[in-house]
Amino acid sequence: MKKLIVANWKMNPMSLASAKLIFNALEKGAKKFSKQSEVVVCSPAVYLFSLAGKQIKLGGQNMFYEDSGAFTGEISPAMLKNSKCQYVIIGHSERRGYFNETDETVNKKIKGAIAHKITPILCVGETASEKKQGKTKEVLKRQVLAALKAVPQKKVKTSGLCVAYEPRWAIGTGDACPTTEAQTIKILLEKIIAQKYSRPLSQKMRFLYGGSVNGDNAQDFIQEAKFQGLLIGGASLKPAEFIRIIKKAV
Ligand code: 13P
């Protein structure tokens, strides 16, 4: 299975010229690892149409679930699809934390992405205070099951849906989740999927880790914690560091 390495640029960079510069550097660097990795850049929507590569696929960072209509400021699944996006991040903790994303809207968005043949990257993760209260497992189970409510196994399978574990406290803090802890969570997520759907599906699904990934720790999440991919924020804007991550991950 190829490792899925996803760049989440978030609200960066500030201009199309910078976006192209970073994208082209990533494109060039990723070429060497194209047999062992699938690389996706989730850029701000305004740049999507202007970015194109052979190695790197495109993804959205968020979307609304309706196809079109009077929803000022929103981007529909069809629009992402028409902008050549093959992936979309759904339920990122920054959306949940700052923009009132709920388990219910995440569920609608997952269904919307699948209906338009866009592969959803479903993000789940507990906050620091939930972790402190010992609620991690409960929160993850709730988030996964709510996101996949009334989504049939066949659709999950054909869409290639991935689940990304991004503990909120590890995002942008430089404080990545310890490997053994991440491994326990990976096993838990597999179990949740196996119980809801089946073991074969959980074995085929790609689970990603995200939260302060860098060139020094990337290998641990893949080799030791057994994740099939990584979701990278800050380091994905630094081409040399991002390529080092890919190299360590494959
Ligand atoms: P950082 O890699 O900057 O911690 O961000 C992780 C993230 O939120 C990716 O979606």
Side-chain angles (χ1 to χ4, degrees), residues 9 16-31 41 50-56 58 236-237 239-240 242-243:
W9 282 359
L16 176 60
S18 311
K20 280 185 171 172
L21 217 65
I22 300 169
F23 189 88
N24 293 337
L26 298 184
E27 169 81 12
K28 209 169 144 202
K31 201 171 172 183
V41 167
S50 310
L51 300 174
K54 283 205 178 90
Q55 310 297 327
I56 297 181
L58 291 173
S236 71
L237 292 155
F242 189 68
I243 299 305

Side-chain angles (χ1 to χ4, degrees), residues 18 32 41-42 66-67 69 85 90 106 121 141-142 145 188 191 199-200 202 204 208 220 228 239 244 247:
S18 311
K32 234 202 277 175
V41 167
C42 298
E66 295 288 352
D67 281 358
C85 282
I90 294 186
V106 167
I121 301 169
K141 191 166 181 189
R142 190 205 75 226
L145 294 182
L188 170 76
K191 205 169 125 194
R199 213 171 135 67
S202 77
K204 277 211 183 85
L208 276 54
D220 301 342
Q228 288 88 4
R244 198 158 79 89
K247 191 176 167 185

Side-chain angles (χ1 to χ4, degrees), residues 179-218:
T179 318
T180 48
E181 210 174 303
Q183 187 173 13
T184 308
I185 301 293
K186 158 83 167 23
I187 294 165
L188 170 76
L189 292 172
E190 274 174 346
K191 205 169 125 194
I192 296 169
I193 296 294
Q195 277 172 356
K196 175 166 169 68
Y197 295 110
S198 66
R199 213 171 135 67
L201 181 68
S202 77
Q203 286 169 336
K204 277 211 183 85
M205 187 173 278
R206 290 173 297 181
F207 294 91
L208 276 54
Y209 169 78
S212 295
V213 173
N214 57 41
D216 294 330
N217 62 23

